[in-house]
Amino acid sequence: MALTVVVRSGDLKSQATITFDAPRIVIGRGEGCEVRLPDPSVSHRHASIRQRGSDYVVIDEGSSNGTFVGPVRLSPQAPRVVRSGDLIRVGRIWLELTTAQVMPTQNASLITKEIALALVASSLSSEGALCAPRLFVTAGPDTGKELALAEFDRAYGIGRAQNADLVLEDPDASRRHVEISRRGTQIFVRDLGSKNGALLAGVRLEANRDTPWPPNALLALGTSELGFEDPVLAALTEIEASTDEQMQGEDSVDPPNVSRESARLPEALLERGGTNAPVAQVPTRAPETERRKQGFRAVDIIIALVCLLVIGLSALGLTWLFHSP
């Protein structure tokens, strides 16, 4: 039985879903986690989900802000069985868990990074910041020109041709010199058989073959040099390197909008979805002063009568003992 994890927090255009068939799934902010959540309220290694026979259990790994199943906060290292449809919360991020006989996600490590980048991009977009990677010319006649790589799996042409996506005035550049494409989390460069070739990080590119473009490396063609910048990747790196953000007691973390059929949450918790009321509230016993206000219960009266009877019998016994010959 495979386990599917759906990220319910964040404003993603497509559902952030990944399916595992593994004995342990680590959830956290760190790069090595199977479910990678770029939020400062999530610890680097926050929680884990483990197989126990036919069941799955969730375990808090000593996180700063806790792991919740519905409204209940888990004690560190205390396993709790989860069922298909359960909602769990790590920090301020909600996850939905489902189990079914389905195929696990291929290239899970790549998909989990793409989900993390999509969450960061969503956050940056909501703040009005630019999210697409961009190329910029750092040296040569076209210094200062830029090209945004907004689309995935599209080949962006660079050269002297007037229909190129980035038109160069460099006389040593070919009309169609190189193509740049963006696939997943990687930028690729392809030399199109240019006359003078192209160097990436000082290494000559093989013609008509895609080569990954490493971060901070420069692409040299003709007398021009180009670099690229990915604001989403830079933000993800910064978030993952930061310390845990301690959530405050008044922080509101509403449950996601899911149907009652698919969410294992108490009715009252579902009814207040979308309000500012905090979700992570562990039921506690009523204070002693409140219990006193409720008055005496029947069992209290019975106990009092029994105590009086024992005291009376004891007094009679002592009287008989001292007056006996």
Side-chain angles (χ1 to χ4, degrees):
M1 192 75 71
L3 176 74
T4 298
V5 180
V6 183
V7 181
R8 287 294 188 183
S9 297
D11 184 20
L12 300 184
K13 293 181 179 180
S14 59
Q15 203 173 50
T17 303
I18 186 167
T19 300
F20 303 93
D21 186 10
R24 184 176 66 174
I25 302 158
V26 178
I27 302 170
R29 186 157 41 98
E31 184 176 356
C33 296
E34 281 75 28
V35 180
R36 192 173 170 186
L37 302 173
D39 189 283
S41 68
V42 179
S43 296
H44 288 84
R45 183 185 176 90
H46 196 109
S48 63
I49 301 173
R50 306 180 191 182
Q51 284 184 333
R52 293 279 178 88
S54 59
D55 292 328
Y56 282 96
V57 298
V58 60
I59 300 172
D60 181 84
E61 300 287 353
S63 64
S64 296
N65 292 305
T67 302
F68 296 79
V69 177
V72 180
R73 180 169 182 161
L74 305 184
S75 299
Q77 304 301 326
R80 181 184 177 95
V81 175
V82 287
R83 305 299 183 190
S84 185
D86 275 349
L87 287 170
I88 70 172
R89 180 166 68 81
V90 292
R92 61 172 62 91
I93 303 297
W94 283 95
L95 305 172
E96 182 183 1
L97 309 179
T98 59
T99 56
Q101 294 285 2
V102 295
M103 293 294 294
T105 301
Q106 301 297 314
N107 299 319
S109 60
L110 176 61
I111 297 301
T112 193
K113 184 174 182 180
E114 289 182 349
I115 290 174
L117 289 169
L119 287 167
V120 174
S122 174
S123 177
L124 291 176
S125 294
S126 67
E127 297 173 358
L130 296 177
C131 299
R134 65 183 185 93
L135 301 181
F136 48 91
V137 182
T138 61
D142 302 284
T143 298
K145 282 189 175 180
E146 296 185 1
L147 172 66
L149 307 179
E151 299 178 32
F152 287 97
D153 296 320
R154 176 190 166 184
Y156 290 87
I158 300 177
R160 289 189 296 105
Q162 291 305 303
N163 62 350
D165 295 285
L166 181 60
V167 179
L168 300 179
E169 303 297 332
D170 188 343
D172 292 327
S174 297
R175 288 179 54 79
R176 297 178 64 251
H177 203 115
V178 297
E179 281 183 347
I180 310 295
S181 58
R182 176 186 175 196
R183 298 199 296 273
T185 60
Q186 185 67 64
I187 306 294
F188 293 88
V189 185
R190 174 186 288 253
D191 185 294
L192 299 176
S194 61
K195 178 180 178 181
N196 295 317
L199 303 176
L200 182 62
V203 179
R204 189 177 183 88
L205 295 177
E206 183 178 340
N208 298 309
R209 180 178 179 180
D210 287 340
T211 301
W213 190 339
N216 304 318
L218 292 177
L219 174 66
L221 50 94
T223 60
S224 302
E225 284 189 345
L226 293 84
F228 87 89
E229 180 182 80
D230 189 340
V232 175
L233 185 59
L236 176 63
T237 302
E238 182 179 350
I239 291 171
E240 291 181 338
S242 64
T243 57
D244 293 355
E245 174 190 320
Q246 193 67 47
M247 295 176 64
Q248 303 301 315
E250 64 272 14
D251 284 352
S252 173
V253 186
D254 295 329
N257 294 322
V258 294
S259 66
R260 287 168 172 75
E261 290 76 13
S262 64
R264 292 178 175 271
L265 282 176
E267 188 75 12
L269 201 60
L270 286 167
E271 288 296 340
R272 74 179 182 205
T275 70
N276 292 323
V279 173
Q281 291 182 331
V282 181
T284 57
R285 295 182 63 189
E288 185 67 26
T289 54
E290 292 185 11
R291 293 203 298 271
R292 286 175 181 169
K293 294 177 183 178
Q294 296 172 0
F296 290 105
R297 300 170 298 176
V299 66
D300 296 328
I301 297 173
I302 293 172
I303 292 172
L305 291 175
V306 171
C307 291
L308 290 174
L309 179 61
V310 170
I311 293 172
L313 291 174
S314 299
L316 288 174
L318 290 173
T319 302
W320 177 83
L321 179 63
F322 287 112
H323 290 83
S324 61

